[in-house]
Amino acid sequence: MAASSIYTSVVSKLEPAADIPEDARANPHHVKGHHGNIVKFKNPHPSAGGDLTDSVVSMVGKILWSKLSGNMPTPDISNTKIPVVTPDLPTSRAASSALRATWLGHACYFVEFPTGLRVLFDPVFEDRCMPVQWAGPKRYSPPACALTDLPPVDAVVISHSHYDHLSHTSVQELAKRNPEAQFFVGLGLEKWFRASGIDNVTEMDWWQDAELVLQKTKPAAATADTTTPPATEASAPDTITARITCLPCQHSSGRTATDRDTTLWASWAVKSGSKSVWFGGDTGYRRVPKVPAETDDYGPSYSALPRCPQFAQIGERRGPFDLGLIPIGAYAPRWLFSWMHANPYDAVEIFKETRCNKAMGIHWGTWILTSEEVEEPPRLLREAMKASGLPETGVFDVCAVGETREF
């Protein structure tokens, strides 16, 4: 059963922008084979650890040893009280001056632009973020809604291929229900989407721009296969345009033991009308070594640790942004995950460097992926904002699963 979109959509890749950072022009994140083809990707900056970046076997081994040695305990979720509310989803594209953002859990956000554009980021609606639904991390906070409760979606943006950000079942159902929806992915993922039966897919490299144009082609009328009430989009604009930009982040990719880093991980910018959003997806900021317990790894002894320069480049060349969706969870133990997962202190630095006016925390409150207590990220976020001389609330916040904020 298809959603009742009244738009057809067209995507056009734009000519390379002139303001690409000098150190990015040679595509240092590409790893090429003997024939000059891209065979995989890498994080190009010392902040990721360079050659220290962990292989799949190394990461699994370190995680298992940390668990066996008691250095990576499983968080207690018996008294977890992460609020979940029924989302206030739109029934029309009525004109508004506000950007509306609804958190649907983990990294998934549903964003409505004042132009009428609707974008869904990293949709995963399953109970488990695994290849199967009988094993692996299970949601400890229920989903705010079912995928079938969503109104028509125009664009779906995917940060990378890890299971907590890319669900085969969810994207297939979204494409089935939204035949005109366009999917935006990093290099290498187009093949996976087409093999999944999804043809409206545009794969992009870092610093590449695309234009999305939605054209109203039919009146909002009741049909046998619609799920949206008739005439709710009658006042929608005739044309909606947006610029989608694929941007760097510091992470990894892979869905099996053999495809590590063969598809590109990315952050994304979406601008439509006067409003813009930066979606961090999943990213690290700096590689932190093992330090004594309770040590401030932003203190003087560690102030010289390399920081990822790409976020400042994003802010300088694509900012400012009205809203940042920035990861704050899955960071402990720090020495193991810091290169690929930001903690709240990293997130605040990323927030400042990307020049986001406001931000919401993502990548927490849904699955147990690491060993920090599940309600710790919001508390540390407030501490990190205060340490940076910023308001503890009202600027970079968290919200209930299903809650909508306006910007």
CSV table of all heavy atoms in Angstrom, one decimal, residues 45-81:
chain,number,residue,atom,x,y,z
A,45,HIS,N,42.7,11.3,8.5
A,45,HIS,CA,43.3,12.2,9.5
A,45,HIS,C,43.8,11.5,10.7
A,45,HIS,O,43.3,10.4,11.1
A,45,HIS,CB,42.4,13.3,9.9
A,45,HIS,CG,42.0,14.2,8.7
A,45,HIS,ND1,42.9,15.0,8.1
A,45,HIS,CD2,40.8,14.3,8.0
A,45,HIS,CE1,42.3,15.7,7.1
A,45,HIS,NE2,41.0,15.2,7.0
A,46,PRO,N,44.9,12.0,11.4
A,46,PRO,CA,45.5,11.3,12.6
A,46,PRO,C,44.5,11.2,13.7
A,46,PRO,O,44.7,10.3,14.6
A,46,PRO,CB,46.6,12.3,12.9
A,46,PRO,CG,47.0,13.0,11.7
A,46,PRO,CD,45.7,13.1,10.9
A,47,SER,N,43.4,11.9,13.7
A,47,SER,CA,42.4,11.8,14.8
A,47,SER,C,41.8,10.5,14.8
A,47,SER,O,41.2,10.1,15.9
A,47,SER,CB,41.4,12.9,14.6
A,47,SER,OG,40.8,12.9,13.3
A,48,ALA,N,41.8,9.7,13.7
A,48,ALA,CA,41.2,8.4,13.7
A,48,ALA,C,42.3,7.3,14.1
A,48,ALA,O,41.9,6.2,14.3
A,48,ALA,CB,40.7,8.1,12.4
A,49,GLY,N,43.5,7.7,14.2
A,49,GLY,CA,44.5,6.8,14.6
A,49,GLY,C,45.4,6.3,13.5
A,49,GLY,O,46.3,5.5,13.7
A,50,GLY,N,45.1,6.7,12.2
A,50,GLY,CA,45.9,6.3,11.1
A,50,GLY,C,45.9,4.8,11.0
A,50,GLY,O,44.9,4.2,10.9
A,51,ASP,N,47.1,4.2,11.0
A,51,ASP,CA,47.3,2.8,10.8
A,51,ASP,C,46.8,2.0,12.0
A,51,ASP,O,46.7,0.8,12.0
A,51,ASP,CB,48.7,2.4,10.5
A,51,ASP,CG,49.2,2.9,9.2
A,51,ASP,OD1,48.3,3.1,8.3
A,51,ASP,OD2,50.4,3.1,9.0
A,52,LEU,N,46.5,2.8,13.1
A,52,LEU,CA,46.0,2.1,14.3
A,52,LEU,C,44.5,1.8,14.2
A,52,LEU,O,43.9,1.1,15.1
A,52,LEU,CB,46.2,3.0,15.5
A,52,LEU,CG,47.7,3.3,15.9
A,52,LEU,CD1,47.7,4.3,17.0
A,52,LEU,CD2,48.4,2.0,16.3
A,53,THR,N,43.8,2.3,13.2
A,53,THR,CA,42.4,2.0,13.0
A,53,THR,C,42.1,0.5,13.1
A,53,THR,O,42.8,-0.2,12.3
A,53,THR,CB,41.8,2.6,11.7
A,53,THR,OG1,42.0,4.0,11.7
A,53,THR,CG2,40.4,2.3,11.5
A,54,ASP,N,41.2,0.1,13.9
A,54,ASP,CA,41.1,-1.3,14.2
A,54,ASP,C,40.4,-2.1,13.1
A,54,ASP,O,39.4,-1.7,12.5
A,54,ASP,CB,40.3,-1.5,15.5
A,54,ASP,CG,40.9,-0.8,16.7
A,54,ASP,OD1,42.0,-1.2,17.0
A,54,ASP,OD2,40.3,0.1,17.2
A,55,SER,N,40.9,-3.3,12.8
A,55,SER,CA,40.3,-4.2,11.9
A,55,SER,C,39.1,-4.9,12.6
A,55,SER,O,38.9,-4.7,13.8
A,55,SER,CB,41.3,-5.3,11.5
A,55,SER,OG,41.6,-6.2,12.6
A,56,VAL,N,38.3,-5.6,11.8
A,56,VAL,CA,37.1,-6.2,12.4
A,56,VAL,C,37.5,-7.2,13.5
A,56,VAL,O,37.0,-7.3,14.6
A,56,VAL,CB,36.3,-7.0,11.3
A,56,VAL,CG1,35.2,-7.8,12.0
A,56,VAL,CG2,35.7,-5.9,10.4
A,57,VAL,N,38.6,-8.0,13.2
A,57,VAL,CA,39.0,-9.1,14.1
A,57,VAL,C,39.6,-8.4,15.3
A,57,VAL,O,39.3,-8.8,16.5
A,57,VAL,CB,40.1,-10.0,13.4
A,57,VAL,CG1,40.7,-10.9,14.4
A,57,VAL,CG2,39.5,-10.7,12.3
A,58,SER,N,40.4,-7.3,15.1
A,58,SER,CA,41.0,-6.6,16.3
A,58,SER,C,39.9,-6.0,17.2
A,58,SER,O,39.9,-6.2,18.4
A,58,SER,CB,41.9,-5.5,15.8
A,58,SER,OG,42.4,-4.7,16.9
A,59,MET,N,38.9,-5.4,16.6
A,59,MET,CA,37.8,-4.8,17.4
A,59,MET,C,37.0,-5.8,18.1
A,59,MET,O,36.8,-5.7,19.3
A,59,MET,CB,36.8,-4.0,16.5
A,59,MET,CG,37.4,-2.6,16.0
A,59,MET,SD,37.4,-1.4,17.4
A,59,MET,CE,35.7,-1.1,17.7
A,60,VAL,N,36.7,-6.9,17.5
A,60,VAL,CA,35.9,-8.0,18.1
A,60,VAL,C,36.7,-8.6,19.3
A,60,VAL,O,36.2,-8.8,20.4
A,60,VAL,CB,35.5,-9.1,17.1
A,60,VAL,CG1,34.9,-10.3,17.9
A,60,VAL,CG2,34.5,-8.5,16.2
A,61,GLY,N,38.0,-8.8,19.0
A,61,GLY,CA,38.9,-9.3,20.1
A,61,GLY,C,39.0,-8.4,21.3
A,61,GLY,O,38.9,-8.9,22.4
A,62,LYS,N,39.1,-7.1,21.0
A,62,LYS,CA,39.2,-6.2,22.1
A,62,LYS,C,37.9,-6.1,22.9
A,62,LYS,O,37.9,-6.0,24.2
A,62,LYS,CB,39.6,-4.8,21.6
A,62,LYS,CG,41.1,-4.7,21.1
A,62,LYS,CD,41.4,-3.3,20.5
A,62,LYS,CE,42.8,-3.3,20.0
A,62,LYS,NZ,43.1,-1.9,19.4
A,63,ILE,N,36.8,-6.1,22.2
A,63,ILE,CA,35.5,-6.1,22.9
A,63,ILE,C,35.3,-7.3,23.8
A,63,ILE,O,34.9,-7.2,24.9
A,63,ILE,CB,34.4,-6.0,21.9
A,63,ILE,CG1,34.4,-4.5,21.2
A,63,ILE,CG2,33.0,-6.2,22.5
A,63,ILE,CD1,33.5,-4.4,20.1
A,64,LEU,N,35.6,-8.5,23.2
A,64,LEU,CA,35.5,-9.7,24.0
A,64,LEU,C,36.4,-9.8,25.2
A,64,LEU,O,36.0,-10.1,26.3
A,64,LEU,CB,35.7,-11.0,23.1
A,64,LEU,CG,34.7,-11.2,22.0
A,64,LEU,CD1,35.1,-12.4,21.1
A,64,LEU,CD2,33.3,-11.6,22.6
A,65,TRP,N,37.6,-9.3,25.0
A,65,TRP,CA,38.5,-9.3,26.1
A,65,TRP,C,38.1,-8.3,27.2
A,65,TRP,O,38.2,-8.6,28.4
A,65,TRP,CB,40.0,-9.0,25.7
A,65,TRP,CG,40.9,-8.9,26.8
A,65,TRP,CD1,41.5,-7.7,27.2
A,65,TRP,CD2,41.3,-9.9,27.7
A,65,TRP,NE1,42.3,-8.0,28.3
A,65,TRP,CE2,42.2,-9.3,28.7
A,65,TRP,CE3,41.1,-11.3,27.8
A,65,TRP,CZ2,42.8,-10.0,29.7
A,65,TRP,CZ3,41.6,-12.0,28.8
A,65,TRP,CH2,42.5,-11.4,29.7
A,66,SER,N,37.6,-7.2,26.8
A,66,SER,CA,37.1,-6.2,27.7
A,66,SER,C,35.9,-6.7,28.5
A,66,SER,O,35.8,-6.5,29.7
A,66,SER,CB,36.7,-4.9,27.0
A,66,SER,OG,37.9,-4.3,26.4
A,67,LYS,N,35.1,-7.4,27.9
A,67,LYS,CA,33.9,-8.0,28.6
A,67,LYS,C,34.4,-9.1,29.5
A,67,LYS,O,33.9,-9.1,30.7
A,67,LYS,CB,32.9,-8.6,27.6
A,67,LYS,CG,32.1,-7.5,26.8
A,67,LYS,CD,31.1,-8.2,25.9
A,67,LYS,CE,30.2,-7.1,25.3
A,67,LYS,NZ,29.3,-6.5,26.2
A,68,LEU,N,35.3,-10.0,29.1
A,68,LEU,CA,35.7,-11.1,29.9
A,68,LEU,C,36.5,-10.6,31.1
A,68,LEU,O,36.4,-11.2,32.2
A,68,LEU,CB,36.6,-12.1,29.1
A,68,LEU,CG,35.8,-12.9,28.1
A,68,LEU,CD1,36.8,-13.7,27.2
A,68,LEU,CD2,34.8,-13.9,28.8
A,69,SER,N,37.2,-9.5,31.0
A,69,SER,CA,38.0,-8.9,32.0
A,69,SER,C,37.3,-8.0,32.9
A,69,SER,O,37.8,-7.4,33.9
A,69,SER,CB,39.3,-8.2,31.5
A,69,SER,OG,38.9,-7.1,30.6
A,70,GLY,N,36.0,-7.8,32.6
A,70,GLY,CA,35.1,-6.9,33.5
A,70,GLY,C,35.3,-5.4,33.2
A,70,GLY,O,34.8,-4.6,34.0
A,71,ASN,N,36.0,-5.1,32.1
A,71,ASN,CA,36.2,-3.7,31.8
A,71,ASN,C,35.2,-3.1,30.8
A,71,ASN,O,35.2,-1.9,30.4
A,71,ASN,CB,37.6,-3.5,31.2
A,71,ASN,CG,38.7,-3.7,32.2
A,71,ASN,OD1,38.6,-3.3,33.3
A,71,ASN,ND2,39.7,-4.5,31.8
A,72,MET,N,34.2,-3.9,30.4
A,72,MET,CA,33.1,-3.5,29.6
A,72,MET,C,31.8,-4.1,30.0
A,72,MET,O,31.2,-4.9,29.4
A,72,MET,CB,33.4,-3.8,28.1
A,72,MET,CG,32.5,-3.2,27.1
A,72,MET,SD,32.9,-3.5,25.4
A,72,MET,CE,31.5,-2.8,24.5
A,73,PRO,N,31.3,-3.7,31.2
A,73,PRO,CA,30.1,-4.3,31.8
A,73,PRO,C,28.9,-3.9,31.0
A,73,PRO,O,28.8,-2.9,30.3
A,73,PRO,CB,30.1,-3.6,33.2
A,73,PRO,CG,30.8,-2.3,33.0
A,73,PRO,CD,31.9,-2.6,32.1
A,74,THR,N,27.9,-4.8,31.1
A,74,THR,CA,26.6,-4.5,30.4
A,74,THR,C,25.8,-3.6,31.3
A,74,THR,O,25.6,-3.8,32.4
A,74,THR,CB,25.8,-5.8,30.2
A,74,THR,OG1,26.6,-6.7,29.3
A,74,THR,CG2,24.5,-5.5,29.5
A,75,PRO,N,25.3,-2.4,30.7
A,75,PRO,CA,24.6,-1.5,31.5
A,75,PRO,C,23.3,-2.1,32.0
A,75,PRO,O,22.7,-3.0,31.4
A,75,PRO,CB,24.3,-0.3,30.5
A,75,PRO,CG,25.3,-0.5,29.5
A,75,PRO,CD,25.6,-1.9,29.3
A,76,ASP,N,22.9,-1.7,33.2
A,76,ASP,CA,21.6,-2.1,33.8
A,76,ASP,C,20.5,-1.3,33.3
A,76,ASP,O,20.5,0.0,33.3
A,76,ASP,CB,21.7,-1.9,35.3
A,76,ASP,CG,20.4,-2.3,36.1
A,76,ASP,OD1,19.6,-3.0,35.4
A,76,ASP,OD2,20.3,-2.0,37.3
A,77,ILE,N,19.5,-1.9,32.7
A,77,ILE,CA,18.4,-1.2,32.1
A,77,ILE,C,17.1,-1.4,32.9
A,77,ILE,O,16.0,-1.1,32.4
A,77,ILE,CB,18.1,-1.6,30.6
A,77,ILE,CG1,17.9,-3.1,30.5
A,77,ILE,CG2,19.3,-1.1,29.8
A,77,ILE,CD1,17.5,-3.5,29.1
A,78,SER,N,17.2,-2.1,34.1
A,78,SER,CA,16.0,-2.4,34.8
A,78,SER,C,15.2,-1.2,35.3
A,78,SER,O,14.0,-1.3,35.4
A,78,SER,CB,16.4,-3.3,36.0
A,78,SER,OG,17.2,-2.6,36.9
A,79,ASN,N,15.9,-0.1,35.5
A,79,ASN,CA,15.1,1.1,36.0
A,79,ASN,C,15.3,2.3,35.0
A,79,ASN,O,15.1,3.4,35.4
A,79,ASN,CB,15.7,1.5,37.4
A,79,ASN,CG,15.4,0.5,38.4
A,79,ASN,OD1,14.2,0.1,38.6
A,79,ASN,ND2,16.4,0.1,39.2
A,80,THR,N,15.5,1.9,33.8
A,80,THR,CA,15.6,3.0,32.8
A,80,THR,C,14.3,3.7,32.5
A,80,THR,O,13.3,3.1,32.4
A,80,THR,CB,16.1,2.4,31.4
A,80,THR,OG1,17.4,1.8,31.6
A,80,THR,CG2,16.2,3.4,30.3
A,81,LYS,N,14.4,5.0,32.5
A,81,LYS,CA,13.2,5.8,32.3
A,81,LYS,C,13.3,6.8,31.2
A,81,LYS,O,13.1,8.0,31.4
A,81,LYS,CB,12.8,6.5,33.7
A,81,LYS,CG,12.5,5.6,34.8
A,81,LYS,CD,12.3,6.3,36.1
A,81,LYS,CE,12.0,5.3,37.2
A,81,LYS,NZ,11.8,6.0,38.5
